[in-house]
Amino acid sequence: MENYYLAQGRIFDIQKYSIHDGPGIRTIIFLKGCALRCRWCCNPESQSFDIQTMLFEGREKIMGQDVTVADLIPIIKQDVFYYNRSGGGVTLSGGESLLQPNFAPHLLHACKDLGINTAIETTGFAKWEIIEKYLPYLDYVLMDIKHMNSDKHREFTTQPNELIIENARKIAESGMVNLTIRVPVIPTFNHTPEEIRAISEFAASLPGVERLHLLPYHRLGQGKYEGLGREYSMSHIELMSNDYMKRLLEVAKRSGLKCQIGG
């Protein structure tokens, strides 16, 4: 067994047969811990690195477990057939996998040794020397750009955006991965045509970036806040219509990128 198979990290879920978190059919590993506190976060159980108890469908559920790379590889290998047939693989999500740099790169390394395609979903909020540990073992990076205005970004996520913007450009300029920009479209935060235009123009300025995904706001995680004994501050926000999202899509397309709703 390789030494890095002994690396330990903390996860809270594994989702198989996903088709929305990178190309093909994928296994999603959800890691604990995030530096942001986005008001609309649909995985509030991911934010704290601590193991938590959440009330789920009337029963207490433990959110978080410590695993090694060796624990996860047999689970991942169960679906190699589907990865190979569909061009899929493994995606690390969260939370934020960049906050577990002594575990996540080793898991990606093990996947690459097995010929499995790899991806991460990330906020990009980490020091560049940490991100550099991940890039050699990644095929795809799905990175959120939530807003171009740092003050508004901080208001809704608790963190400014300068480091995120800088890292997006560095990842793109590295030429090491296929970078897709994602935009969670949130009413009262970044849902105006002007805000979407600014983000899409920035994305189009990144070397090699061809795709931008608009992710419509939803309330699928609201019950989790209740299960954790937390208030969901976005409950008063109305969902956007399909027609309105299509209008934003047309705005984004003017950047020259291949844009889509969802993904």
Side-chain angles (χ1 to χ4, degrees):
M1 181 184 297
E2 301 286 353
N3 286 338
Y4 58 78
Y5 271 53
L6 302 178
Q8 186 179 78
R10 182 165 290 175
I11 69 171
F12 68 95
D13 199 9
I14 299 173
Q15 179 182 325
K16 292 189 168 197
Y17 313 120
S18 173
I19 57 172
H20 299 295
D21 304 274
I25 297 171
R26 310 191 72 82
T27 297
I28 317 301
I29 312 293
F30 291 87
L31 280 70
K32 270 283 217 169
C34 187
L36 275 59
R37 293 294 182 269
C38 302
R39 292 184 187 178
W40 61 89
C41 180
C42 61
N43 289 329
E45 74 277 27
S46 75
Q47 294 177 351
S48 172
F49 184 75
D50 295 336
I51 295 175
Q52 299 167 287
T53 300
M54 183 173 75
L55 196 63
F56 182 75
E57 296 180 348
R59 297 182 179 180
E60 288 190 347
K61 184 176 182 180
I62 302 299
M63 304 309 301
Q65 66 178 112
D66 292 329
V67 296
T68 64
V69 171
D71 293 329
L72 295 178
I73 289 302
I75 299 171
I76 290 168
K77 289 171 67 175
Q78 289 171 1
D79 296 316
V80 166
F81 171 81
Y82 299 106
Y83 309 151
N84 292 341
R85 287 292 298 271
S86 68
V90 171
T91 299
L92 303 189
S93 188
E96 174 56 74
S97 69
L98 296 179
L99 294 189
Q100 297 195 41
N102 296 319
F103 168 68
H106 296 306
L107 178 56
L108 295 169
H109 188 175
C111 290
K112 295 305 295 180
D113 282 351
L114 294 169
I116 296 173
N117 177 283
T118 59
I120 62 170
E121 297 178 308
T122 181
T123 67
F125 191 80
K127 294 180 179 179
W128 177 246
E129 52 263 36
I130 288 176
I131 295 175
E132 285 184 303
K133 294 182 179 181
Y134 291 68
L135 294 181
Y137 309 115
L138 281 170
D139 296 297
Y140 293 91
V141 173
L142 309 172
M143 183 173 177
D144 281 5
I145 298 294
K146 299 177 173 72
H147 211 288
M148 296 307 297
N149 181 288
S150 188
D151 290 337
K152 198 165 187 182
H153 193 281
R154 186 197 298 268
E155 179 186 356
F156 278 75
T157 73
T158 72
Q159 298 290 355
N161 74 350
E162 286 87 358
L163 181 61
I164 294 168
I165 297 299
E166 178 185 347
N167 284 336
R169 189 164 296 283
K170 285 183 176 179
I171 292 170
E173 290 175 348
S174 77
M176 296 177 68
V177 295
N178 185 311
L179 175 61
T180 294
I181 299 301
R182 287 174 148 187
V183 187
V185 184
I186 312 299
T188 72
F189 173 54
N190 65 354
H191 76 302
T192 67
E194 293 76 18
E195 288 164 316
I196 295 302
R197 181 180 300 112
I199 296 171
S200 58
E201 288 177 354
F202 168 73
S205 77
L206 300 174
V209 170
E210 298 180 351
R211 298 183 181 276
L212 182 141
H213 297 169
L214 300 178
L215 311 180
Y217 168 68
H218 59 74
R219 296 198 196 99
L220 297 180
Q222 183 170 351
K224 296 180 179 180
Y225 286 81
E226 298 169 359
L228 290 168
R230 293 175 53 186
E231 179 185 358
Y232 183 68
S233 63
M234 302 286 285
S235 59
H236 64 290
I237 299 298
E238 294 186 9
L239 303 182
M240 293 166 291
S241 68
N242 291 335
D243 286 343
Y244 187 77
M245 284 301 303
K246 289 177 182 177
R247 284 175 54 195
L248 295 182
L249 179 65
E250 291 307 311
V251 170
K253 284 181 176 179
R254 292 173 197 156
S255 67
L257 295 173
K258 300 174 184 176
C259 302
Q260 67 185 60
I261 297 173

